[in-house]
Amino acid sequence: MTRKILQMAVLIGSVTATGWLLADSHKHGESKSLPQVSNAKWAAECSSCHTLYHPGLLPERSWSKIMSGLDRHFGENAGLDPLAQKEIAEFLVANSADHAQNRRSAKIAQSTPAQSTPLRISETPWFVRKHDEVRNDVWKRPKIGSPANCTACHNGADKGDFAEARIKIPR
Ligand code: HEC
Ligand code: HEC
């Protein structure tokens, strides 16, 4: 009898503690942002034409395919010298959605069908679901242009920050 009561007390105690932990991480939004990552070559070479896309937004196979076709990259030649290409590819793979230890990357990795290798973040099922409330004509506004222009609406996108509170859609 006393043992049962003790077990109950332990159970209630741990449930309460978990509740506090969840409330705390939610409050700071930490569970939702991507971890800080950095590589000087990546930051320099992959930000001149568009948002610096966080590696945790695509699975390893996608980055590998993108990095092996840079001379024909979405209609542009983004080719690099072999050393820079290798260093950036390794950095992207190491921090890709299937290797990163965070909830958002895990969700992206899980929701991307194993037989598909998306070359665009904006075409992953995860992205489409998260943005289903953005109307078609909104993507085409002059200040946005395309779904690939993350920083148009997410101020901190190039740092992996997509907090809802900081989303601002340009008119
Ligand atoms: C010479 C310009 C240029 C450079 C340099 C460049 N890109 Fe791109 N990239 C583009 C264009 C253009 C698009 C298509 C953008 C659009 O649809 O609005 C694109 C699209 C992408 C997309 C898909 C975005 C989406 O979700 O729709 C990824 C991922 C990407 N680039 C990764 C990279 C990486 C990694 C590097 C560095 C190795 C890089 N890019 C360097 C021009 C460039
Ligand atoms: C037209 C503006 C716009 C553009 C461009 C845009 N987003 Fe979003 N994004 C939104 C809106 C609106 C939401 C929905 C927020 C909500 O659910 O309340 C959202 C949600 C998100 C979320 C989920 C936030 C959360 O807390 O659940 C992520 C992550 C995200 N976007 C990443 C991206 C990435 C990566 C790109 C570029 C490849 C991008 N977005 C481009 C407007 C945009």
Side-chain angles (χ1 to χ4, degrees):
M1 185 65 190
T2 8
R3 218 172 127 192
K4 266 248 162 71
I5 291 172
L6 234 147
Q7 277 174 348
M8 279 294 282
V10 168
L11 188 73
I12 291 169
S14 63
V15 165
T16 313
T18 313
W20 280 333
L21 279 175
L22 284 176
D24 202 48
S25 65
H26 200 78
K27 196 168 62 204
H28 297 296
E30 268 156 13
S31 58
K32 283 195 160 184
S33 60
L34 291 162
Q36 292 292 313
V37 291
S38 69
N39 173 282
K41 285 210 175 85
W42 164 67
E45 302 291 352
C46 305
S47 67
S48 49
C49 303
H50 47 62
T51 302
L52 184 61
Y53 303 117
H54 194 289
L57 292 167
L58 281 175
E60 165 173 355
R61 60 188 181 282
S62 294
W63 291 123
S64 298
K65 197 167 171 186
I66 289 168
M67 291 306 291
S68 62
L70 283 178
D71 51 337
R72 286 163 287 109
H73 179 77
F74 301 94
E76 302 270 345
N77 183 349
L80 294 169
D81 67 82
L83 268 181
Q85 181 180 328
K86 186 167 177 281
E87 181 180 327
I88 295 172
E90 282 170 3
F91 162 78
L92 291 169
V93 164
N95 296 287
S96 62
D98 22 20
H99 292 283
Q101 304 287 323
N102 66 82
R103 262 172 50 194
R104 178 152 281 153
S105 291
K107 268 194 193 156
I108 295 172
Q110 277 162 22
S111 69
T112 309
Q115 70 278 13
S116 84
T117 303
L119 296 180
R120 284 183 179 273
I121 300 151
S122 58
E123 282 174 357
T124 59
W126 165 85
F127 182 96
V128 174
R129 191 160 15 86
K130 283 283 179 193
H131 294 85
D132 61 355
E133 64 187 65
V134 181
R135 293 193 323 267
N136 259 339
D137 58 304
V138 172
W139 296 121
K140 297 195 187 86
R141 285 181 186 163
K143 285 185 185 151
I144 302 172
S146 94
N149 191 7
C150 320
T151 38
C153 306
H154 300 277
N155 204 354
D158 43 9
K159 291 175 204 73
D161 177 2
F162 298 97
E164 275 171 44
R166 279 185 288 284
I167 298 177
K168 216 168 149 194
I169 303 179
R171 300 257 123 218

